[in-house]
Amino acid sequence: MVHKGSDNEQSKQIREELEELAPTLSRLPKKERHQVPGMYFTTLSNKVLNRIEQENKPKPGPLQILENLVGQWISARTAVAALSVLFVSIIGAHLYQAGQQVETTHYSLATLEYDELAYMLTSVDGDDLSLMLTDNDISDLDGEISYFSEDAELYDLYMNEIDEDLIMEEWL
Amino acid sequence: MSSIDKEILQRFAIPAEREAAFRMLVDTYSERLYYQIRRLVDTHEDTDDVLQNVLVKAWRYLGKFNGEAALYTWLYRIAYNESMTYLKQRNKRTTGSIEDVQEASTTEAYMPAEDIEERLQQAIDALPDKQKLVFQMRYYDELPYEEMSQVLGTSVGALKASYHHAAKKIEAHLTGH
């Protein structure tokens, strides 16, 4: 398509200017060399208005994104509730595990090797060790498999509140 | 400002008539804008992309259009800017430099051509980018220098000089001098 100018006067002025500058060119018919697919211009306004509508749609928030991800079979609220339950369960399990580990540490002393126990007694302060084990613990250990019950000397050593110098002399 | 421009602007200001006013704008100006863009970006697909961008911008900013220039001049300016943005992006994507492309097209442009119309297109293609744009705006779109000046941000004097140079080069190519 060649635009014929907003008014004839303008068109005439441009033609005269061109005749003066380039006579051969001014005699050529003005033709657009490009082809346009049929119906392109009749469908263009709808295409553009649809695009504008799409661009103006509000962008989904995090809850909507979650809802889209989870799908139609489960609502966002249910998904949030399920995640909360899962979270509480994980925290509960973690805390339970931590409690179990305290118990494990407590009894693991009874499984120490002789050399390991001697090392502990030399490296741990007597006050600290007495905080770690109570009299009841010692009694319990006494009834179970314990180096204390097997070796009266070691038991006495502990009961006399650990003398590091003595341990050094006796065991190392 | 033409009566159709006034009508488009008045109706666009009324929310209920906004869409109808926009359709009127598209019907009135899209064909001229299409060819303006197509002369710069070549393929139909790219022209379609650029033209849609132009019209989306027109929808967004038409409410702020102050009416100082003709509506087409305003649209033409948006189309020109969008086309330039597109060309810059395309040039970044291509591996060869812009100079390579220009050199190749120039070489091709001066190959012998039997058909006078083909010779005309070759002569236009061989012009430097800015001169080519000025020539097309004046020759095909018949824009007054004042409007071209508003679109391109160049003085009327410089535009006249550019158009005269372009027209003389094309004439020389057509006549073989």
Side-chain angles (χ1 to χ4, degrees):
Chain A
M1 179 224 171
V2 176
H3 172 50
K4 293 296 175 192
S6 54
D7 55 53
N8 290 335
E9 187 57 38
Q10 176 66 25
S11 231
K12 191 181 163 198
Q13 204 180 338
I14 291 170
R15 199 171 52 247
E16 285 172 358
E17 180 191 37
L18 191 63
E19 276 169 5
E20 202 174 306
L21 288 168
T24 312
L25 176 62
S26 69
R27 286 195 297 273
L28 292 181
K30 289 182 187 175
K31 264 192 198 172
E32 283 290 352
R33 57 177 159 160
H34 303 292
Q35 299 294 313
V36 188
M39 305 294 285
Y40 173 73
F41 292 111
T42 38
T43 56
L44 184 62
S45 54
N46 280 340
K47 215 157 57 168
V48 175
L49 284 167
N50 285 340
R51 187 175 144 183
I52 290 164
E53 195 184 328
Q54 289 297 319
E55 286 180 4
N56 287 344
K57 274 185 182 172
K59 288 179 180 168
L63 203 65
Q64 271 181 302
I65 292 170
L66 182 67
E67 205 163 56
N68 292 340
L69 285 174
V70 173
Q72 291 182 337
W73 54 275
I74 182 168
S75 71
R77 283 182 187 175
T78 315
V80 169
L83 283 175
S84 303
V85 169
L86 187 67
F87 179 74
V88 169
S89 303
I90 290 168
I91 294 294
H94 182 73
L95 289 174
Y96 179 75
Q97 284 278 354
Q100 287 291 96
Q101 275 177 357
V102 170
E103 288 290 307
T104 307
T105 306
H106 175 74
Y107 286 110
S108 66
L109 277 174
T111 63
L112 288 175
E113 293 295 327
Y114 198 82
D115 291 344
E116 289 172 333
L117 188 57
Y119 173 75
M120 272 196 73
L121 292 174
T122 57
S123 58
V124 177
D125 182 56
D127 292 333
D128 289 343
L129 195 59
S130 65
L131 285 171
M132 288 163 67
L133 296 174
T134 63
D135 288 345
N136 286 339
D137 291 329
I138 298 302
S139 306
D140 289 345
L141 288 168
D142 210 16
E144 302 287 335
I145 303 168
S146 166
Y147 291 109
F148 290 100
S149 59
E150 287 172 14
D151 193 325
E153 198 176 354
L154 187 60
Y155 179 77
D156 288 337
L157 184 69
Y158 173 72
M159 294 305 288
N160 290 326
E161 296 189 348
I162 315 297
D163 183 338
E164 285 184 18
D165 294 336
L166 182 63
I167 291 166
M168 294 294 284
E169 284 171 22
E170 291 283 326
W171 305 103
L172 298 176
Chain B
M1 187 183 287
S2 69
S3 57
I4 195 156
D5 285 3
K6 278 182 192 162
E7 190 182 343
I8 289 169
L9 291 174
Q10 280 167 0
R11 292 181 70 185
F12 195 80
I14 304 164
E17 292 195 40
R18 205 174 180 201
E19 200 173 301
F22 184 73
R23 284 182 194 281
M24 196 186 247
L25 179 145
V26 174
D27 291 345
T28 310
Y29 295 116
S30 63
E31 201 168 341
R32 286 167 68 185
L33 289 169
Y34 176 90
Y35 286 110
Q36 181 217 336
I37 298 163
R38 181 84 186 256
R39 283 183 218 121
L40 293 169
V41 304
D42 284 342
T43 71
H44 169 73
E45 286 71 24
D46 293 340
T47 306
D48 181 39
D49 281 349
V50 175
L51 180 55
Q52 283 195 40
N53 291 342
V54 171
L55 294 172
V56 168
K57 285 203 171 162
W59 170 274
R60 281 193 199 138
Y61 300 111
L62 191 60
K64 292 175 186 167
F65 176 64
N66 56 20
E68 276 179 14
L71 188 52
Y72 183 65
T73 308
W74 182 71
L75 291 167
Y76 206 120
R77 190 179 176 87
I78 299 173
Y80 170 70
N81 289 337
E82 284 295 316
S83 303
M84 290 299 119
T85 305
Y86 166 81
L87 289 174
K88 277 178 197 160
Q89 285 169 351
R90 191 180 69 177
N91 286 338
K92 271 186 196 168
R93 285 197 300 267
T94 52
T95 49
S97 68
I98 299 169
E99 287 76 17
D100 291 342
V101 175
Q102 283 174 342
E103 196 180 326
S105 66
T106 307
T107 311
E108 189 189 339
Y110 285 107
M111 285 171 69
E114 297 299 320
D115 182 45
I116 189 80
E117 283 174 17
E118 199 177 326
R119 286 174 71 96
L120 171 61
Q121 289 312 323
Q122 286 177 349
I124 293 171
D125 288 342
L127 294 172
D129 285 345
K130 189 75 184 278
Q131 220 171 68
K132 180 176 164 185
L133 181 69
V134 170
F135 177 79
Q136 287 173 333
M137 287 172 93
R138 185 80 175 158
Y139 180 75
Y140 288 109
D141 296 324
E142 298 188 343
L143 287 186
Y145 285 117
E146 290 72 22
E147 282 186 34
M148 289 164 70
S149 173
Q150 287 174 3
V151 173
L152 300 173
T154 310
S155 71
V156 169
L159 290 170
K160 274 184 184 172
S162 189
Y163 178 69
H164 285 210
H165 279 302
K168 284 189 178 296
K169 277 185 198 173
I170 292 168
E171 180 74 2
H173 185 73
L174 290 175
T175 55
H177 294 115

